[in-house]
Amino acid sequence: MLGKESKERIQSLYREAIKALELRPRYGQRVMIAEIAKALGAVREGEKGERDNDAGIAVVEAGTGTGKTLAYLIAALPVAMERDKKLLVSTATVALQEQILDKDLPALKKHLSLPFNFALAKGRGRYLCLSKLDKSLQQLSGILSTVDLFEQTPEEQDRELYENMLIKYGSGQWDGDRDRWEDEIEHKQWTHLTATHRECSNRRCPHFQNCAFYKARSAMEDADVIVANHDLVLSDLSLGGGAILPAPDKTIYVFDEGHHLADKALNHFRLEFGVRSTRQWLKQLEKLIEQFIADAGIPMGMMHSLQVMPANIQSLSQSASLVWPLVMDLMQDRDRQRFEFGLLPEGLRDLLHTMKAPLQPVTQCLDKLSDLLQKSLDPNETGDFTQEVAETWQAPMGIMLARAEELSEALSWIAAVEGEGELPVARWLSKRPYGDDWDITLSASPISVAAQLRQTLWSRCYGAVVTSATLTALNSFNSLKWEAGLPDWATYERVASPFNYSENGQLEVVRLNSDPKSEAFESDVQEWLKEAVDPEEGTLVLFSSRAQLEATRDYFIRDWYDHLLCQGFLPKGEIVRRHKKRIDEGKGNIIFGLASFAEGIDLPGEYVTHVVIVKIPFAVPDDPIQSAISEWMESRGRNPFMELTLPAASIRLIQACGRLIRKETDQGKVSILDKRLVSSRYGQLLLDSLPPFRRI
């Protein structure tokens, strides 16, 4: 139980924040604070300070306008500091992360009587590697030759950028964070400047004391609040927890935008490899080993493994060559081919198993070489190679080792067969662009991450808060529980939005002549938009199909040329900036957007007074993971449409409607052009879950 003193401390901090930030106290915000504090206060500690009971997880759906960021920070931070734990706030989008870092936390730090520090946590790939920057500049100056691998040589046109980076990092004007550089950095430019885990030589690097990544890691150690994203948290958990971020048993997590957690986890656990790209990698590996032996020689302890390496690489290449005609035959003229219940044809599965045998000694050899090169970088150790050889070859060998490990893991999972009673794994083939040609990729993904999240997160964390404006689907937490593996004993609470939806907003289900399955639907939508949308107002039109968006844009581009901005033709941020500018100038504007404009876009007041949703946002029917889940559910006598498809559409529909009322004074109208909401049996379920707008 939370002690009386702790409760009073939280209440006092809330009063301080409301007064200092000139906010209006909100009932829903107070309820959210109380629920989180109660859940965390119920945690009983074991001998080592870990959670020792079924408590400490609060799931709170907080309607738009609740002020959930302030609520979870005020409730969780005092508890975390009192119990010597880290508070880790994880978001799904960069926009929310920046808001918390640049606005919410600085404001609280300035005004609260609770002193605390905060830091940003990002993956290694977002930070400058001084060693690679130094090598790139040396290569451009001709001082250092490069290993011919993956076109690693930097280009002359980037010299000015790299020199500018060195100056600004050295003078403290830039902290090495890619996202805080003054201009956009192209992916190809950045690959020369950042190191993966396998490329990094850690404390053996001469730049270690001045490393941007490890400086950021050091700042985390002194922080009471760490801000990260879902992907980084999942990466850390997959490494056992505590590898990048604080250990789970020492952490209270807050998953803001928590409805994305399960989807992020599904993508995180997906494994894949391309047939052509793997064959190309094997050619590069063979060439690299030849170059390495010519340059560095063969250490005595690796004589046998390096001598048999070419034969193992050749064996792998031959097997990969045989995979190509098999997958070509399976694909035929399709872009994607999913295997029922995740079962690969026996011939393909056997061939993938064949590849695993020669890959194992290749991976072991690369691992040993990488280790010897790392040791040879250290002047305090007697290495097998000169320091010059180690500096040249450590990073390329690390890249090759990482690729070999990824391939090994992918082969094992793609070629596996699940046991009786186990959940199937989704497995499929897909055609992907590859250079000027195309490749066929073999992929595997779990259909549920509930077990992984239960094992690595919910059962190990000291405490957790999962929050979002949309956690329930069809007015129930059941879908979230199933997808994210949340325990039944967690506390579940819904906090209503303070907005007066029935007074400020209208909802109309437009009964067009056709429904979305009809060929006439596109033209019916265009005719309705022409009659019902005022180009002099702020309007957001949300499409489920890029093809329909582009066709509708083509229809209106002449008449609405000065009033129309479309996703896919300009960056998202630029669309928002131009839209606001036009509305501020009193000109009116219309945005045509897809799914990413239905969530996370904040256009209050006159910026959006009319939201048009073209159709119910059902998931793409050919998504291989969703199809595999549906197949498994049907095999168990369950209804995937009611349990999976409809709840997911409900959440997306609520999010889309949520673009209208962003502040208490906002007013406007939502129009949904899908008459299935009133003509189908499931339509009323979707309507009942929407904000209580006045129906017209």
Side-chain angles (χ1 to χ4, degrees), residues 143-176:
I143 299 170
L144 181 70
S145 61
T146 181
V147 176
D148 182 17
L149 173 67
F150 300 144
E151 297 179 353
Q152 290 277 302
T153 310
E155 297 181 13
E156 180 62 34
Q157 65 203 44
D158 298 325
R159 182 198 292 267
E160 185 179 346
L161 169 67
Y162 294 168
E163 289 175 344
N164 196 19
M165 284 180 163
L166 185 62
I167 292 168
K168 292 200 171 183
Y169 186 78
S171 64
Q173 295 173 267
W174 179 48
D175 63 358

Side-chain angles (χ1 to χ4, degrees), residues 95 98 184 565-581 589 591 596-597 600-603:
E98 289 177 346
E184 186 72 22
L565 294 168
C566 296
Q567 186 173 0
F569 294 86
L570 283 170
K572 187 176 177 182
E574 182 64 14
I575 288 174
V576 171
R577 188 192 69 78
R578 292 192 190 186
H579 176 82
K580 286 183 174 181
K581 184 174 184 289
N589 193 66
I591 294 175
S596 61
F597 271 83
I601 291 291
D602 193 28
L603 295 168

Side-chain angles (χ1 to χ4, degrees), residues 593-627:
L594 296 165
S596 61
F597 271 83
E599 180 183 2
I601 291 291
D602 193 28
L603 295 168
E606 295 300 313
Y607 291 131
V608 167
T609 56
H610 191 185
V611 174
V612 180
I613 302 167
V614 172
K615 63 180 180 179
I616 300 169
F618 288 119
V620 179
D622 64 345
D623 178 87
I625 300 175
Q626 297 301 311
S627 297

Side-chain angles (χ1 to χ4, degrees), residues 403-467:
R403 182 70 184 269
E405 289 173 332
E406 289 168 7
L407 179 59
S408 179
E409 191 177 3
L411 283 172
S412 294
W413 208 18
I414 293 170
V417 177
E418 285 64 58
E420 186 71 30
E422 291 182 9
L423 279 176
V425 168
R427 295 183 176 90
W428 68 96
L429 306 173
S430 50
K431 189 180 287 188
R432 302 266 185 90
Y434 180 63
D436 296 329
D437 207 333
W438 51 274
D439 196 359
I440 293 177
T441 300
L442 291 86
S443 304
S445 169
I447 65 168
S448 169
V449 290
Q452 288 96 323
L453 291 176
R454 270 194 298 269
Q455 182 181 352
T456 61
L457 177 59
W458 311 126
S459 66
R460 295 182 59 203
C461 67
Y462 185 87
V465 177
V466 181
T467 188

